[in-house]
Amino acid sequence: MDARVGALVGRQREREALSSFAGAAGGRPLLLKGETGVGKSALLQHVADLAAGADHQVVRAAGVEAESDYAFAGLHQFLHPLLAQVERLDAGRRAVFDVVFGRNEGPAPSVMTLAIAVLDLLALASSQKPLLLLLDDGHWFDAASAEVCGFAGRRLTGSSVKLVVGLRSDLPSRFDTAALPVLDVAALSEEDSEALLDLHHPGLDARIRRVVLAEAQGNPLALLELPPFLSSRSAPGAGELPRGHGVPLPRRLEYLYGTRIGALSAPVRAELLRGALDGVGSGKAAPTARGTRYRMADADEAAACGLLDIDRSSGDFVFRHPLVRSTVVQTATPNERREAHAALARMYRDDLERRATHLAASAVDPSEQVAAELEAAARSTTRRGGALAAIAWLTRAAELSESREERSRRLADAAFIAGQAALPDQAQRLARADLVQGGRDVPASVVASAYESLYRDGEVRSSRRQVVAALEALREDDPGPGAGEVGVRLVNLLMVTCQYAADAAAWQQARDLIGTLGDEVPALSLIYRDAWSDVVRHGAGVRGRLEHAFAGRALLDPWDVVRLSVAAYHLDVLGPHRLHLRRSVDREVETGATAAAMTMLHLIMLDQTAAGEWEEAERTGVRGLDLAVERDHALFAYHSRAYLAQLAAMRGQVERARELQAAVDAWARPRGVGFLTQIADAVGTMAALSEGDYEAAYLYAIGITAPGSFEPCAHQASRTLLDLVEAALHTGRAEQARRHALAAQEAGLPGISPRLALITYGALAMTTDDEQDATAQYERAESLADNAGFPFELARIRLARGIRVRHAQGPKAARQALTRAAEAFERLGATPWANRARAELRVSGMSTRPSSAAGLTWQEHRIAGLAASGLTNKEIGERVHLSPRTVSSHLYRVFPKLGITTRAALRDALGNTPEGSDG
C-alpha cells in the first residue's frame, strides 16, 4: 500500500472515513478528536481539499484561547464570510443576528433561537453551492458558540451543509456532550512514522533517527519538529529535551519551540507576541477572522526557522501550529506581555469588549479610566449573556480603581453577578474581599451570603433578618458612591425573602423600611413590592406599570426581566413574555446564571400550566427540578416539586400529588417558607376536589384563607377562590361560598387580573340564588377576552353551569355547556373532571362518545378554532405568542386527527365551536 497521498502519510482508516463523509449526499457533522500534534489540522485540510474538489464552498474557523470567554466570538468567525446572506433572511432572523453581531442592543437569543436562525442562514448560503464548515481547535470555542454549533450540527440531515470540528482529546469542551459522531485520530503506526520521517528528513543520522522515533511515539508534529532540533546540538541526543516519566510530549515540543523563539530578535518576538495574544490563526489555510485581527509584519526570521507559515488565501503570517502560539505567550516576560496587550488595546479602540480584555491585562497601576472601560464592557457582556466574563472584568476593574469607594462598588457588582450566576462561593470571596473596619459585613457580603442561605437551604427567616439589619445600617451611615445601588439590591433581596415567607408582618416591615428610603427606591422595585406582596390589596394599577417597564426590556439586566416576569405571573399576564423567557433560559444556563434560569423554568411551567399545555409543563418542571438538584439549590428544587404537585393534582394523579405535597410541606414548614406551604395546601385542596372528597378540600382551602376574606400577603388566597367556593357548595356551606364570592367582587379582583376576573364571575354565578343573575354572571365569564388563556378554570365554570342549567331548565339546555366542559377536560388530560362531565352528559340523555376534536391537545384545539374563524397563521401566532411556522406545524398535526385535508373543513370538524370559546 502506498502510504503517501499528498501531505498525508498513512491514515488509511481516517482517509476512508473522510472520503465517505465528504462524498456522502446531504448534510452531516463529524468530530475529529486526538492529542496535540497528532495531525487533526492536516486531516481537516484533507477533507477541505476533498470538498473543494467536489465544488463545495469551504468556511473555516478556529477556536482561540484568548477569546474563549467572549459570548459568540467563535460563531462570529463562522458567520463572517456569510454576512452578505443575512440581508436575505426575514426580519425576525435578521434581528437575531443584529443582536449577536452587536449592531442592535437587546437580550441575547437562546441557543435554540440562534441555532435555528443559523440553520436558516446556512440553508440560504448552501442553496447554490454545498457548504463545508471547518472548525479547528474547537475546544477553545466559547460556550455559547459551541452550543449553537452542536444544536445546528444535530440538525444538518437533509441539508447541503457539512460540519467538521477538530478537538484535543486531553481538554474538555462543550462539543463533548453535543452527541455528534466522532472519528478518533490515533498516533501513526511504527511503519507510517518511519515513512513520514524519511519523507521530510531524508538522510537523517541513524542515531538521531532512533531517538526521534522513540520520543515521538507516532506523533506527526514531533516527527517533523524534533530532527532539526536534535541535529543542531553538538552532542546529538534527546538529553537536551525535558525527558522522563510524567513529562508529556506537548511540554517537550514547547521546549523545542521555546529555543527557536528565544533565538529571535526582540522586535520579531514582540511581533509574534502581539499576534499570539490576539489569536492569529495557525496553519497555511488559517480561517478568516471576523472583523480586524492583528497582522504580523517583518517576521520573515520567524518563518525561516519554522515558527510561522504564510496563509495561502491572504498572504499573512500565521503560526505553524497552535502549540507555537501558546509557547510564544508562555516564554514572554510579564512586561513583554503587558506591552503587547497595550498595543492591542490601542488597536481595538472601537471594540469595547476586545479593548477591555487587553486593557485589563496591560494595566499595572490604578487607573479610573481603565476601570471605567472595563466596567462598561462588563455591562455590555452581561446583557448579552456573558456573566463569567463580566465577573472577571469587574474584579479587574476593582483592582484598578483609584478610590476605595469605587473599588467596593465594583467588587459588590461582581459579587452580585456571581450570586445571580449561582456561584455562591465566588460571590462570597468577592464580597469579603473588602470588609469594612470594625468587623461588620459590607452590604455586598450580606447580599451574597443571604442569597446563598436562601437558595441552598431555604433559610428565609435568617436571610431576611440579615438583610433588614444591613439596610438599616446602610440608611444610618453616610452613603458613599454606589451605596444607592447596593441599597436597591438589598431592597430587592428583602422582597424576595418576604415573598417566600408570605408573612404579613414581614411584608409590613419591608414596606415601612422601603418607605424611609424615599426616591432611592426605583420604579421597578416598587412594582415588585406591590405585585409580589398582595395583589388583592396592592395589585390595582400594577398591570399598566408592568407593561411600561417591559417596554424597555432591551435595556434591563437579566435578573430584572426575571423579577418583572414574576410580577406578571402574580397578575396572570405572563403569556406574552413566555417566548422571551424560553429564548433566554438556555443562555442563562450556558453562561452560568442558573439562579435566573431556574426561576425562568418555573415561570414557563406556570404559564404552560395555565394555558393548558400540561405535557409541556411537566417536561419543563422536571427540567427545572433536575437543574436545581444538580446545582444543590434546595429552595428551587422544592419549588419545582410544589408546581409538579399542583399539576399532578389537576390531572387527577392524586397519589403522586400527595407524595410531592408531603415532601414540600415537610421541608418548607419548619423553615417558614410560607410561599411553598400555601402551594402545598392548594395541592391538597385540588387533589381532594379531583377525587370528589369535598370535605377534605374545604378544610385545606380554609387553611389558606377564611371564607369571606383574603388572608393578607397569602398569594394562594385569591388563586384558590374557585376551589373554596366549589368545596363549600358541595358540603352544604352555601352561605360561606356566597360570602367568599362577594368578598372577591368587593375586593375588586376582576380589575386586577384576567384569571381573577374569570373565577370571580364564575364564583358569583355558582353562588347566587337568582337564575337571571347566574346567567348574567356566566355570560360575563364566557365573554371575557382572555378566558381562553385559562382553559381549566373555564371548563370548571362550564361544568358548574351545565349542572345548574340541567336542574333549572332541563337536560337538553345543559348539553352545550357540559359538552364543552367534557371536551376541554379530555384535551387537558384532567381525567376525573372529564369523567364527571361525561357522567353529567349521560344524565342529560346525551351520548358520551368523545368527539374527534377531543383527540386534540388544548393548544391544537385553540389554534384550529382560530384558523376556522378565518385568521391567517401570522394573525394566530400574534394571538397565541407563537411563530407562524409553529402555528403551521400545529395545523399539520390537526388535519389528520380531525380526518380533514383542507382548512375550509375545520369549522365543521370542530363542531361549529365559536373561536372565542376555545372549546
Side-chain angles (χ1 to χ4, degrees):
M1 179 188 71
D2 183 7
R4 300 168 191 171
V5 178
L8 292 177
V9 172
R11 300 291 183 209
Q12 187 64 29
R13 178 182 66 88
E14 291 89 346
R15 283 186 290 144
E16 288 177 356
L18 292 175
S19 294
S20 175
F21 173 86
R28 59 192 60 201
L30 183 65
L31 304 181
L32 296 180
K33 296 190 74 171
E35 67 174 4
T36 299
V38 79
K40 300 182 294 297
S41 297
L43 289 170
L44 289 174
Q45 182 57 48
H46 178 66
V47 75
D49 292 339
L50 291 173
D55 199 31
H56 282 59
Q57 178 186 358
V58 179
V59 175
R60 297 174 181 269
V64 179
E65 185 175 6
E67 296 181 352
S68 58
D69 288 332
Y70 295 167
F72 306 121
L75 200 61
H76 286 185
Q77 287 194 54
F78 259 155
L79 300 184
H80 195 266
L82 307 177
L83 280 182
Q85 306 286 349
V86 171
E87 297 305 318
R88 297 172 57 194
L89 297 172
D90 62 45
R93 296 290 186 260
R94 288 201 306 273
V96 170
F97 288 117
D98 284 345
V99 171
V100 171
F101 280 98
R103 292 186 289 206
N104 281 334
E105 289 206 357
S110 71
V111 166
M112 182 178 294
T113 302
L114 179 53
I116 291 171
V118 168
L119 284 170
D120 285 353
L121 176 62
L122 295 178
L124 195 60
S126 62
S127 59
Q128 301 299 320
K129 193 174 187 180
L131 195 61
L132 173 66
L133 305 176
L134 286 183
L135 168 58
D136 205 354
D137 290 331
H139 42 275
W140 294 129
F141 243 35
D142 62 280
S145 296
E147 292 283 354
V148 170
C149 289
F151 183 100
R154 293 189 294 273
R155 291 159 176 81
L156 293 179
T157 302
S159 72
S160 300
V161 182
K162 294 183 173 71
L163 169 70
V164 189
V165 183
L167 301 169
R168 278 175 56 176
S169 56
D170 59 326
L171 291 177
S173 85
R174 288 299 183 102
F175 288 101
D176 294 340
T177 56
L180 301 180
V182 177
L183 176 61
D184 290 311
V185 183
L188 294 174
S189 67
E190 183 177 352
E191 179 183 352
D192 290 335
S193 296
E194 292 176 350
L196 179 65
L197 185 60
D198 293 341
L199 177 66
H200 290 274
H201 300 286
L204 192 64
D205 178 86
R207 182 171 53 157
I208 294 177
R209 187 175 184 275
R210 286 195 300 273
V211 172
V212 169
L213 290 170
E215 289 294 322
Q217 292 293 305
N219 184 286
L221 182 64
L223 290 166
L224 297 176
E225 299 291 2
L226 287 177
F229 176 83
L230 296 177
S231 297
S232 67
R233 302 303 176 187
S234 56
E240 297 287 347
L241 284 170
R243 300 187 65 187
H245 299 294
V247 181
L249 182 61
R251 285 284 305 278
R252 287 177 275 167
L253 291 173
E254 286 173 354
Y255 175 80
L256 182 156
Y257 288 135
T259 60
R260 296 186 197 171
I261 293 167
L264 298 173
S265 64
V268 174
R269 286 201 311 273
E271 192 70 5
L272 264 61
L273 182 57
R274 288 189 286 271
L277 291 175
D278 200 37
V280 167
S282 60
K284 292 184 179 180
T288 302
R290 62 119 177 168
T292 306
R293 183 79 77 188
Y294 187 80
R295 299 182 66 182
M296 295 183 288
D298 300 324
D300 299 277
E301 181 185 353
C305 66
L307 294 171
L308 300 181
D309 279 326
I310 305 295
D311 180 75
R312 292 187 297 199
S313 59
S314 67
D316 292 337
F317 286 114
V318 292
F319 291 103
R320 184 172 183 182
H321 191 273
L323 205 57
V324 177
R325 185 171 53 212
S326 62
T327 305
V328 168
V329 176
Q330 292 170 16
T331 56
T333 67
N335 281 339
E336 288 171 339
R337 287 196 291 269
R338 281 192 289 270
E339 290 174 4
H341 278 298
L344 292 168
R346 291 191 292 272
M347 173 180 164
Y348 288 118
R349 193 173 301 278
D350 297 326
D351 190 325
L352 180 63
E353 294 181 18
R354 287 200 175 204
R355 176 173 167 80
T357 297
H358 294 300
L359 281 175
S362 66
V364 177
D365 298 321
S367 168
E368 190 56 36
Q369 179 182 349
V370 173
E373 291 198 48
L374 295 180
E375 187 176 2
R379 284 197 300 270
S380 171
T381 195
T382 296
R383 289 174 183 158
R384 294 176 58 243
L388 299 181
I391 294 168
W393 281 331
L394 283 168
T395 304
R396 182 63 175 140
E399 294 170 354
L400 297 173
S401 299
E402 294 181 353
S403 69
R404 188 180 187 284
E405 291 80 6
E406 289 296 331
R407 178 179 185 273
S408 297
R409 182 178 63 78
R410 286 163 178 149
L411 282 173
D413 290 348
F416 177 74
I417 295 174
Q420 296 301 307
L423 300 169
D425 294 336
Q426 186 173 359
Q428 284 283 20
R429 285 196 301 273
L430 289 165
R432 294 188 178 278
D434 190 45
L435 290 177
V436 299
Q437 293 181 355
R440 191 175 73 196
D441 282 348
V442 294
S445 176
V446 172
V447 171
S449 62
Y451 269 121
E452 179 180 14
S453 59
L454 178 65
Y455 290 164
R456 279 191 168 173
D457 305 315
E459 294 294 338
V460 171
R461 299 186 186 101
S462 61
S463 298
R464 187 175 61 81
R465 287 195 297 267
Q466 191 178 9
V467 174
V468 168
L471 267 172
E472 290 176 341
L474 192 67
R475 184 184 55 183
E476 293 169 4
D477 293 342
D478 180 22
E485 188 169 359
V486 173
V488 169
R489 287 175 183 162
L490 286 168
V491 164
N492 290 338
L493 177 52
L494 175 61
M495 290 190 287
V496 171
T497 62
C498 287
Q499 179 179 223
Y500 275 111
D503 177 76
W507 268 114
Q508 188 57 53
Q509 182 185 30
R511 284 183 167 274
D512 293 343
L513 189 53
I514 291 169
T516 66
L517 299 176
D519 294 339
E520 291 184 33
V521 181
L524 291 181
S525 298
L526 297 179
I527 291 174
Y528 311 150
R529 179 196 65 188
D530 294 338
W532 297 359
S533 62
D534 188 340
V535 294
V536 175
R537 291 161 180 82
H538 305 292
V542 177
R543 185 173 179 180
R545 292 155 58 195
L546 182 69
E547 291 173 354
H548 178 74
F550 266 124
R553 180 167 55 198
L555 301 177
L556 295 175
D557 288 319
W559 37 87
D560 279 320
V561 174
V562 171
R563 290 169 183 152
L564 286 173
S565 299
V566 173
Y569 156 70
H570 283 289
L571 296 169
D572 300 306
V573 290
L574 189 54
H577 311 292
R578 193 210 301 178
L579 186 60
H580 172 78
L581 293 173
R582 292 182 63 176
R583 285 200 304 260
S584 302
V585 69
D586 291 333
R587 180 198 73 187
E588 299 303 314
V589 173
E590 294 151 22
T591 58
T594 50
M598 286 181 274
T599 303
M600 287 178 179
L601 288 171
H602 289 160
L603 293 166
I604 293 168
M605 180 191 180
L606 286 168
D607 193 60
Q608 289 169 331
T609 302
E613 301 162 22
W614 288 1
E615 291 293 338
E616 292 88 344
E618 177 81 20
R619 287 192 290 270
T620 303
V622 170
R623 182 186 177 190
L625 177 58
D626 290 344
L627 181 61
V629 171
E630 175 190 334
R631 300 304 170 93
D632 192 28
H633 278 46
L635 179 66
F636 288 122
Y638 282 98
H639 205 150
S640 295
R641 292 185 180 102
Y643 290 147
L644 287 167
Q646 276 191 311
L647 181 58
M650 294 162 72
R651 301 174 87 167
Q653 300 168 350
V654 175
E655 185 176 343
R656 180 168 184 255
R658 287 184 172 146
E659 180 181 337
L660 289 167
Q661 174 200 10
V664 171
D665 195 77
W667 182 86
R669 204 168 292 277
R671 291 171 170 80
V673 188
F675 190 88
L676 296 188
T677 59
Q678 286 180 35
I679 296 177
D681 286 341
V683 171
T685 306
M686 181 53 63
L689 286 173
S690 290
E691 61 182 1
D693 186 351
Y694 297 107
E695 184 65 29
Y698 183 75
L699 293 176
Y700 269 117
I702 63 174
I704 297 171
T705 191
S709 67
F710 295 94
E711 186 72 17
C713 303
H715 79 290
Q716 285 293 323
S718 57
R719 304 191 77 81
T720 55
L721 163 63
L722 200 62
D723 302 344
L724 193 154
V725 165
E726 191 168 353
L729 288 173
H730 279 282
T731 55
R733 298 178 173 95
E735 187 273 330
Q736 289 92 329
R738 183 60 178 171
R739 181 152 38 96
H740 204 51
L742 291 173
Q745 184 181 41
E746 291 164 7
L749 297 195
I752 293 172
S753 90
R755 181 181 180 276
L756 291 179
L758 175 64
I759 62 177
T760 298
Y761 297 142
L764 289 168
M766 292 162 66
T767 58
T768 183
D769 292 329
D770 186 317
E771 289 301 324
Q772 286 187 334
D773 184 36
T775 300
Q777 296 294 351
Y778 277 128
E779 289 298 330
R780 201 171 186 183
E782 289 274 7
S783 65
L784 289 171
D786 298 317
N787 65 14
F790 310 99
F792 183 59
E793 291 83 352
L794 181 59
R796 289 171 63 186
I797 292 169
R798 285 174 173 167
L799 175 58
R801 183 179 192 180
I803 294 171
R804 180 166 188 150
V805 169
R806 181 172 63 81
H807 286 292
Q809 302 176 32
K812 187 174 182 180
R815 289 172 185 169
Q816 183 182 39
L818 292 173
T819 299
R820 288 180 174 179
E823 291 183 350
F825 287 135
E826 286 167 354
R827 286 192 297 273
L828 288 166
T831 304
W833 297 86
N835 292 339
R836 201 170 300 159
R838 289 292 172 192
E840 288 291 335
L841 274 172
R842 285 194 295 272
V843 172
S844 74
M846 186 175 178
S847 168
T848 59
R849 183 180 61 83
S851 71
S852 59
L856 304 181
T857 67
W858 180 263
Q859 186 77 302
E860 288 170 347
H861 193 278
R862 187 181 184 191
I863 289 171
L866 292 166
S869 72
L871 297 183
T872 66
N873 288 358
K874 182 178 180 182
E875 290 168 335
I876 295 170
E878 290 171 352
R879 287 209 187 184
V880 299
H881 314 297
L882 295 173
S883 70
R885 179 180 293 181
T886 303
V887 171
S888 177
S889 297
H890 278 294
L891 290 173
Y892 180 80
R893 293 192 293 270
V894 163
F895 281 18
K897 288 184 179 182
L898 296 179
I900 61 175
T901 57
T902 67
R903 202 179 185 106
L906 276 171
R907 180 172 291 276
D908 289 338
L910 294 173
N912 295 314
T913 299
E915 174 273 323
S917 70
D918 277 284

